[in-house]
Amino acid sequence: MMPRGAVGALQSSLTRLQENAVQDIDAALIDDAGLEDRLGLDDAAHRQLVESLRTYGQQVPVLLRPNTKVQGRFEIVYGRRRLKALRELGVPVRAMIRQLDDHALVMAQGQENTARQDLSFIEKASFAAQLQDSGYDRQTIAAALSIDMPMVSRMLKVGTAFDLDFLRQIGSAPGIGRERWMALAKAMQEPGARARVLDRMRTPNFPAAPSDARFEAALALAKQSSSAKPKPKSAKAPAPPARVLDGPNGRPLADLRRSSKGVSVTIAAKDNAEFDAWFEANAEILLNELHERFTTETSEE
């Protein structure tokens, strides 16, 4: 019989070998775990990853831990993008499996995030805020993200300014840095700014825009809300309504409006497809012909 100490050493060695070994795991057995480190997934990037995995296979394993509540199942530590793509392909997931408690899980997830170049500032700031909300102190957050304490403070200032659902709707915003996010946080504090931004987020075309564009739209709306000033009351009479100019078919062709500054003609593109562009290209010729006619008629008087 082997000595007890030798048995323990052997079990420890076998555990380390198992943790370093790459295994094929059914994707249906893998559950979510840890904190959310991705604020949405770009469709184009996802399709590219799917095609890469389809062509070359999975080169880099994901990291799992045994499910803490259900035997025979696993929880994802990192590699969520690969997991989603492999699920779509219907193939097993190549994974390393390690025994990690919750603290070790978020530390591993944070360290892996630090090594990734494609994680945006707001995704890292949101991850730091989630760590704080989960009860981790700032020293642990600094260690998890491999950053110093001043950077932890800067990230938390941004990450805690927005709730996770709001950030999911904006997305990763890879081209937006800390200063711009701080500007949005400040603008969102103004009365009515948040409601204005949320109303835009509910429109069908908002999610279709790239993440950076969604951020810019939110910032513009928030600033518009905070910078709007009440218009002074004016004693001037309201401007007369536009005069509708009909075409030969009786349909509206243009709107003519006169003000104290002059006369303007508006040709709506939606009602006069291509005519507006043609008019713009020939405006100088048409205006000269009208002016020549005006000159002739007034000289005869």
Side-chain angles (χ1 to χ4, degrees), residues 187 193 196 200 217-229:
R196 187 186 296 261
R200 174 63 66 84
L219 180 59
L221 284 167
K223 283 187 172 182
Q224 177 184 349
S225 175
S226 62
S227 61
K229 297 179 179 178

Side-chain angles (χ1 to χ4, degrees), residues 259-282:
S259 68
S260 58
K261 295 182 180 180
V263 176
S264 63
V265 177
T266 302
I267 301 174
K270 64 178 182 178
D271 298 326
N272 299 280
E274 300 184 2
F275 176 63
D276 58 328
W278 182 89
F279 183 89
E280 180 184 9
N282 294 276

